[in-house]
Amino acid sequence: MNRHSCSDCRIMNCKLQDKQYPKFCPTKELTSDEITEIEKLYNEDNNREISRISAEIENDFYCKYTRVEETIEFAKRMKMNKIGIAACVGLAEESRTFAKILAKHDFEVYSVVCKVGAMKKTEVTGLDEEKTNVTGNVMCNPILQAKILNDEKTDLNVVIGLCVGHDSLFYKYSDALCTTLVTKDKVLAHNPVGALYQTSTYYKKLLND
């Protein structure tokens, strides 16, 4: 049986501080030593600055700025100069538009699409060729995307529409801090939360056993 966790909570006392924590709450279970250890991590590298600036942007532009604008504001306040874009080739046009916007804000930009290297799925992953009929045999290459942006010494890497799993590999191998601008969902026009909103109607199947 799974342990209760935050998805089982309806109180949210960690945010509101006006009720009692449920018995299973991880906030309630924290020891003073564990809190001290977390506080130490916020003092490592630039973690405290990232947290501070993120909180400032949330406060200053809450429900005013789009994700594009927030990303630009974050990079400016962090005094970043070079922005990397790791894009799905299917969102190349959107990534070009974002690159133009970044350039207008005086950032240096380097973009890499997912098919870079033109490596074959059948050769690298051992996938049967019949499994490549729909999307083609040229594989998405998030590790190479990360390596190229590492060589470019980017200050921040922005993910635009990498596939599930491919994005995970990109985050794993990126030297620079990462953020996501677009989360791919080909069915829902890149709005994956739409499926969650529709679980009482069109996407009931997601809750079926």
Side-chain angles (χ1 to χ4, degrees), residues 125-201:
T125 69
L127 197 66
D128 291 338
E129 191 163 352
E130 65 183 66
K131 295 290 187 181
T132 69
N133 290 339
V134 174
T135 57
N137 195 19
V138 178
M139 65 178 276
C140 296
N141 204 334
I143 294 177
L144 182 55
Q145 284 178 289
K147 294 292 186 182
I148 289 172
L149 294 179
N150 291 346
D151 289 342
E152 288 293 322
K153 301 189 184 311
T154 52
D155 299 310
L156 176 70
N157 289 332
V158 180
V159 170
I160 297 183
L162 296 188
C163 297
V164 173
H166 295 153
D167 55 358
S168 303
L169 284 172
F170 179 80
Y171 302 138
K172 181 177 180 179
Y173 286 94
S174 172
D175 288 343
L177 200 66
C178 296
T179 190
T180 300
L181 183 64
V182 180
T183 301
K184 179 191 287 179
D185 189 320
K186 294 179 284 292
V187 174
L188 296 175
H190 311 306
N191 179 34
V193 75
L196 306 181
Y197 293 146
Q198 296 291 334
T199 52
S200 62
T201 54

Side-chain angles (χ1 to χ4, degrees), residues 42 44 108 126 138:
Y42 278 102
E44 289 185 2
E108 184 180 354
V138 178

Side-chain angles (χ1 to χ4, degrees), residues 29-180:
E29 294 176 356
L30 281 171
T31 66
S32 58
D33 287 344
E34 287 172 328
I35 292 172
T36 299
E37 185 61 31
I38 295 298
E39 289 175 346
K40 286 180 181 178
L41 293 176
Y42 278 102
N43 287 314
E44 289 185 2
D45 303 321
N46 59 349
N47 292 346
R48 184 172 293 278
E49 185 181 11
I50 292 169
S51 298
R52 177 182 60 80
I53 288 174
S54 298
E56 286 177 354
I57 291 172
E58 180 186 21
N59 182 74
D60 294 347
F61 305 109
Y62 190 74
C63 290
K64 297 176 183 177
Y65 267 15
T66 64
R67 181 81 178 198
V68 170
E69 292 169 305
E70 287 181 339
T71 302
I72 292 168
E73 188 67 24
F74 176 75
K76 285 181 176 179
R77 294 194 185 192
M78 287 294 297
K79 296 180 171 55
M80 293 167 165
N81 298 308
K82 191 168 186 177
I83 310 297
I85 298 175
C88 168
V89 73
L91 286 150
E93 191 58 40
E94 290 83 350
S95 69
R96 289 189 194 101
T97 300
F98 184 55
K100 288 178 184 177
I101 293 169
L102 290 173
K104 287 290 185 181
H105 287 267
D106 299 320
F107 291 107
E108 184 180 354
V109 185
Y110 196 92
S111 178
V112 189
V113 297
C114 60
K115 301 298 184 180
V116 65
M119 297 165 70
K120 299 292 189 291
K121 297 174 186 175
T122 49
E123 295 175 4
V124 177
T125 69
L127 197 66
D128 291 338
E129 191 163 352
E130 65 183 66
K131 295 290 187 181
T132 69
N133 290 339
V134 174
T135 57
N137 195 19
V138 178
M139 65 178 276
C140 296
N141 204 334
I143 294 177
L144 182 55
Q145 284 178 289
K147 294 292 186 182
I148 289 172
L149 294 179
N150 291 346
D151 289 342
E152 288 293 322
K153 301 189 184 311
T154 52
D155 299 310
L156 176 70
N157 289 332
V158 180
V159 170
I160 297 183
L162 296 188
C163 297
V164 173
H166 295 153
D167 55 358
S168 303
L169 284 172
F170 179 80
Y171 302 138
K172 181 177 180 179
Y173 286 94
S174 172
D175 288 343
L177 200 66
C178 296
T179 190
T180 300

Side-chain angles (χ1 to χ4, degrees), residues 21-25 28-29:
Y21 292 111
K23 291 181 180 180
F24 60 81
C25 180
K28 183 179 179 180
E29 294 176 356

